[in-house]
Structure formats: C-alpha cells, structure tokens
Amino acid sequence: MKKIIQRADDRGYANHGWLKSHHSFSFANYYNPDKIHFGALRVLNDDQVKGGMGFGAHPHDNMEIVSIVLDGSLEHRDNTGTRGVIRKNDVQVMSAGSGIVHSEFNASKTDDVSFLQIWVFPKERNITPRYDQRAFDPAARHNALQLVVAPDGAQNALSLHQDAWFSLGEFEAGQKVDLTPKQPGIGSYLFLLSGEVKVADEVLQTRDAIGLSDYEKVTVEVVKPATFLLIDVPMLN
C-alpha cells in the first residue's frame, strides 16, 4: 500500500478578505511540487465567502468540477444562461468540457457560505459543457457512505466524465468502515471534514487527509464523531 498524509495546517492558504481559501493541492499563488494532484484529483479548495461577495465571470475548460456546499448557499450563472443556487447538502457537477464561462456568488447578502470546490481531470477532452445538481438527504449518510457522484450516476448519484466516485459519511465514535478500490488502478482520498479517525495506522483530525493507492482493503476507525468526504479516482501515470 502507498499512502500520502496531508495535514490541515500544511495546506496552502489565501485570505482575500471576502474569501478565505485553503488549498490541498497547488492552486493560484500556492505552489508545492509535492502537492500537484492525487491521481485524477487536481484541486480540493476549502472556501469561505462573505455575504454578498463571490467570484466574477471566469472561464474553465476540460475539467470536471464538483461543488459541495457545507453551510449557506451559493449562486451560479454561466454564459449558456444556466442559473441556480446550491445549498447545504446540495452537490453540483460542472463539466467544463470545450469551455464555459461562469460566476459563483454567495446567495446571501449577510451570511457566509462555506463550500468545497474539487477539480478532477476528465476522461475525455472537449465534451459539450453541462451542469447538474442534486440535494442529498443527510440521514442517508448516518453511519454509512452515501454515494453522491459516480461515473454512471449509479444509486441516484450525479454523473461525471471520469472513473471517479464521491461519497459522504457521518459516523458515530466506535464505527468502522472498510474501504476497497472501486476497480483496478483506483486510489482513495479521504478528506476529514470534522472529528477524528484512524486509517492505515495514521490518526487524522479535522481537515486532515490521506491518499491511499495500491491497496486491497483498509479500515477507517472512527475515534471521535466524524464527517468525511471519500474521493476514489484513477491513479494517473
């Protein structure tokens, strides 16, 4: 088994006043040659945006972008006329494909919005851009892994153009969760949103992460009540 450990306080950090952003991988002005990507997982930004503020219109192409709102609400618009709001327990997938221009703003004028924005390299380039979003019942992730993104949209998950799976889980202390690769060549990246767990002889605390590859099975032991995001992605050569 191969593993990488990323501690919360070792992440890149940018404070723009209206935006506070932690970067698990190299992004914008943060560059770490040891943190470029984990397989097809290229970006994991942990963002907090003040009320009434946001990201103006900007382009993307050839990237699968997953947004998960942790608290508050986020409004998006793009140059195809798509407009909507994603809220806590919502997940959105944007396939930038051949190119799209979009904006993201806090939908509230007063309250902060906290969300994860995650980029995954696509399986195929220059596809037609598209959006999809869905609300997921948090009760379905109590002491279980709730699949929210999958290549084929299985189990009512959102689909994306890569052999990648996203799962959310909220576990009580004392619970154990076995992880196995979805298929050969797939690695698993666990990002701990809160709590404390033990994985592969490593203790993780809030906002720590572990990446595992070349493994058959590993057990997540929940030490303190924990919420985490599990991302399974192809390990690129």
Side-chain angles (χ1 to χ4, degrees):
M1 178 174 62
K2 297 177 182 177
K3 65 182 177 182
I4 62 166
I5 305 297
Q6 296 180 331
R7 299 297 177 187
D9 56 4
D10 286 337
R11 296 178 295 170
Y13 178 64
N15 186 345
H16 299 286
W18 63 272
L19 165 69
K20 296 178 180 178
S21 182
H22 287 88
H23 311 312
S24 295
F25 301 97
S26 295
F27 185 85
N29 293 328
Y30 169 64
Y31 176 74
N32 184 326
D34 296 324
K35 295 181 180 180
I36 303 298
H37 62 93
F38 175 80
L41 175 59
R42 172 61 188 89
V43 167
L44 196 163
N45 287 348
D46 187 357
D47 291 347
Q48 185 177 45
V49 175
K50 287 188 175 298
M53 305 299 289
F55 303 89
H58 57 283
H60 290 287
D61 66 80
N62 292 309
M63 197 66 71
E64 300 294 297
I65 300 174
V66 178
S67 297
I68 301 174
V69 174
L70 305 176
D71 198 26
S73 54
L74 188 68
E75 181 178 351
H76 67 91
R77 303 181 186 184
D78 71 47
N79 60 336
T80 70
T82 299
R83 179 177 178 177
V85 176
I86 51 176
R87 298 177 173 84
K88 184 176 181 179
N89 296 316
D90 288 354
V91 179
Q92 180 194 77
V93 175
M94 181 179 77
S95 297
S98 58
I100 198 166
V101 177
H102 80 143
S103 63
E104 297 160 295
F105 278 85
N106 190 334
S108 169
K109 298 297 183 184
T110 56
D111 300 328
D112 289 358
V113 59
S114 300
F115 65 101
L116 303 178
Q117 186 166 106
I118 303 153
W119 297 8
V120 174
F121 292 119
K123 192 173 186 177
E124 180 183 355
R125 292 178 60 84
N126 296 321
I127 62 171
T128 301
R130 70 175 183 96
Y131 276 101
D132 199 3
Q133 70 181 66
R134 191 166 301 152
F136 290 89
D137 182 0
R141 70 185 75 125
H142 179 69
N143 288 332
L145 285 174
Q146 179 187 43
L147 187 66
V148 296
V149 178
D152 54 2
Q155 300 177 41
N156 202 39
L158 296 168
S159 64
L160 83 173
H161 294 282
Q162 181 53 277
D163 293 328
W165 296 258
F166 287 56
S167 303
L168 290 166
E170 297 177 358
F171 295 90
E172 298 172 355
Q175 292 288 311
K176 294 184 179 181
V177 188
D178 290 334
L179 306 182
T180 56
K182 297 290 187 182
Q183 59 190 40
I186 297 294
S188 301
Y189 185 89
L190 188 154
F191 182 68
L192 186 62
L193 290 163
S194 65
E196 184 177 318
V197 300
K198 186 176 181 181
V199 189
D201 298 323
E202 302 285 348
V203 175
L204 305 182
Q205 297 181 337
T206 298
R207 263 43 179 194
D208 288 348
I210 185 170
L212 304 168
S213 57
D214 294 337
Y215 78 100
E216 293 183 358
K217 185 174 83 169
V218 69
T219 300
V220 180
E221 302 175 44
V222 182
V223 181
K224 296 179 181 178
T227 300
F228 62 80
L229 170 66
L230 179 68
I231 305 174
D232 294 296
V233 290
M235 300 306 296
L236 304 178
N237 294 327

